[in-house]
Amino acid sequence: MAKKKKPVSAPRPAATDAPATLKDMLSSDVLNKLKAQSDALKAEENAKKEAARQAAEEQRKAEQKRLDNDFAHLLANSNQDWHKFK
């Protein structure tokens, strides 16, 4: 039996032949400034989300406190089986 020869694939072009990307063309200090700005914007966005979450939580607590002081609301939502408490 004869061995089959595998077809030889064409050699791939080297990485240096690839077109230059924007990252390659930017200097390292400019790239570092852009990364720092990106991190700052992400931190600011996270801070805004946290502030909005806290405001919503405070609003929910204030509404619950108001409802706890409302007799009509408490009466409507209370258990009507008073025989258990005799």
Side-chain angles (χ1 to χ4, degrees), residues 25-36:
M25 295 186 333
L26 289 176
S27 63
S28 63
D29 62 334
V30 173
L31 195 59
N32 289 335
K33 286 180 184 179
L34 289 173
K35 285 183 182 180

mmCIF file of all heavy atoms in Angstrom, residues 25-36:
data_model
loop_
_atom_site.group_PDB
_atom_site.id
_atom_site.type_symbol
_atom_site.label_atom_id
_atom_site.label_comp_id
_atom_site.label_asym_id
_atom_site.label_seq_id
_atom_site.Cartn_x
_atom_site.Cartn_y
_atom_site.Cartn_z
ATOM 1 N N MET A 25 -0.829 52.097 15.692
ATOM 2 C CA MET A 25 -0.370 53.420 15.276
ATOM 3 C C MET A 25 -0.339 54.417 16.424
ATOM 4 O O MET A 25 0.414 55.389 16.395
ATOM 5 C CB MET A 25 -1.248 53.948 14.138
ATOM 6 C CG MET A 25 -1.121 53.104 12.883
ATOM 7 S SD MET A 25 -1.967 53.678 11.394
ATOM 8 C CE MET A 25 -3.315 54.623 11.908
ATOM 9 N N LEU A 26 -1.161 54.219 17.470
ATOM 10 C CA LEU A 26 -1.183 55.148 18.596
ATOM 11 C C LEU A 26 0.022 54.921 19.490
ATOM 12 O O LEU A 26 0.471 53.792 19.685
ATOM 13 C CB LEU A 26 -2.452 54.952 19.422
ATOM 14 C CG LEU A 26 -3.761 55.422 18.784
ATOM 15 C CD1 LEU A 26 -4.922 55.079 19.684
ATOM 16 C CD2 LEU A 26 -3.734 56.905 18.520
ATOM 17 N N SER A 27 0.498 55.999 20.054
ATOM 18 C CA SER A 27 1.613 55.866 20.987
ATOM 19 C C SER A 27 1.082 55.321 22.318
ATOM 20 O O SER A 27 -0.108 55.401 22.612
ATOM 21 C CB SER A 27 2.308 57.203 21.193
ATOM 22 O OG SER A 27 1.413 58.125 21.782
ATOM 23 N N SER A 28 1.962 54.788 23.105
ATOM 24 C CA SER A 28 1.543 54.146 24.350
ATOM 25 C C SER A 28 0.949 55.148 25.339
ATOM 26 O O SER A 28 0.017 54.813 26.063
ATOM 27 C CB SER A 28 2.713 53.413 24.983
ATOM 28 O OG SER A 28 3.732 54.324 25.338
ATOM 29 N N ASP A 29 1.464 56.388 25.367
ATOM 30 C CA ASP A 29 0.905 57.358 26.309
ATOM 31 C C ASP A 29 -0.517 57.761 25.921
ATOM 32 O O ASP A 29 -1.383 57.925 26.783
ATOM 33 C CB ASP A 29 1.815 58.585 26.450
ATOM 34 C CG ASP A 29 1.988 59.335 25.147
ATOM 35 O OD1 ASP A 29 1.844 58.709 24.085
ATOM 36 O OD2 ASP A 29 2.272 60.556 25.198
ATOM 37 N N VAL A 30 -0.794 57.891 24.639
ATOM 38 C CA VAL A 30 -2.148 58.217 24.189
ATOM 39 C C VAL A 30 -3.081 57.044 24.492
ATOM 40 O O VAL A 30 -4.206 57.233 24.950
ATOM 41 C CB VAL A 30 -2.168 58.549 22.673
ATOM 42 C CG1 VAL A 30 -3.581 58.717 22.167
ATOM 43 C CG2 VAL A 30 -1.349 59.799 22.400
ATOM 44 N N LEU A 31 -2.603 55.836 24.279
ATOM 45 C CA LEU A 31 -3.397 54.645 24.560
ATOM 46 C C LEU A 31 -3.705 54.547 26.056
ATOM 47 O O LEU A 31 -4.838 54.243 26.445
ATOM 48 C CB LEU A 31 -2.644 53.409 24.084
ATOM 49 C CG LEU A 31 -3.436 52.123 23.978
ATOM 50 C CD1 LEU A 31 -4.603 52.285 23.009
ATOM 51 C CD2 LEU A 31 -2.541 51.000 23.503
ATOM 52 N N ASN A 32 -2.725 54.861 26.893
ATOM 53 C CA ASN A 32 -2.941 54.836 28.341
ATOM 54 C C ASN A 32 -3.941 55.901 28.768
ATOM 55 O O ASN A 32 -4.770 55.666 29.655
ATOM 56 C CB ASN A 32 -1.627 55.020 29.093
ATOM 57 C CG ASN A 32 -0.738 53.802 28.973
ATOM 58 O OD1 ASN A 32 -1.224 52.698 28.757
ATOM 59 N ND2 ASN A 32 0.561 53.998 29.118
ATOM 60 N N LYS A 33 -3.884 57.092 28.155
ATOM 61 C CA LYS A 33 -4.845 58.151 28.468
ATOM 62 C C LYS A 33 -6.254 57.729 28.087
ATOM 63 O O LYS A 33 -7.209 57.970 28.826
ATOM 64 C CB LYS A 33 -4.478 59.440 27.733
ATOM 65 C CG LYS A 33 -3.294 60.166 28.308
ATOM 66 C CD LYS A 33 -3.010 61.437 27.512
ATOM 67 C CE LYS A 33 -1.764 62.135 28.004
ATOM 68 N NZ LYS A 33 -1.459 63.348 27.226
ATOM 69 N N LEU A 34 -6.392 57.095 26.933
ATOM 70 C CA LEU A 34 -7.717 56.636 26.498
ATOM 71 C C LEU A 34 -8.257 55.556 27.433
ATOM 72 O O LEU A 34 -9.449 55.547 27.758
ATOM 73 C CB LEU A 34 -7.661 56.115 25.063
ATOM 74 C CG LEU A 34 -7.472 57.167 23.975
ATOM 75 C CD1 LEU A 34 -7.268 56.500 22.623
ATOM 76 C CD2 LEU A 34 -8.676 58.087 23.930
ATOM 77 N N LYS A 35 -7.412 54.656 27.871
ATOM 78 C CA LYS A 35 -7.845 53.618 28.809
ATOM 79 C C LYS A 35 -8.258 54.232 30.139
ATOM 80 O O LYS A 35 -9.261 53.827 30.732
ATOM 81 C CB LYS A 35 -6.732 52.592 29.022
ATOM 82 C CG LYS A 35 -6.562 51.644 27.863
ATOM 83 C CD LYS A 35 -5.497 50.613 28.146
ATOM 84 C CE LYS A 35 -5.301 49.684 26.958
ATOM 85 N NZ LYS A 35 -4.267 48.673 27.206
ATOM 86 N N ALA A 36 -7.504 55.217 30.605
ATOM 87 C CA ALA A 36 -7.835 55.882 31.866
ATOM 88 C C ALA A 36 -9.168 56.614 31.745
ATOM 89 O O ALA A 36 -10.000 56.571 32.663
ATOM 90 C CB ALA A 36 -6.729 56.849 32.256
#
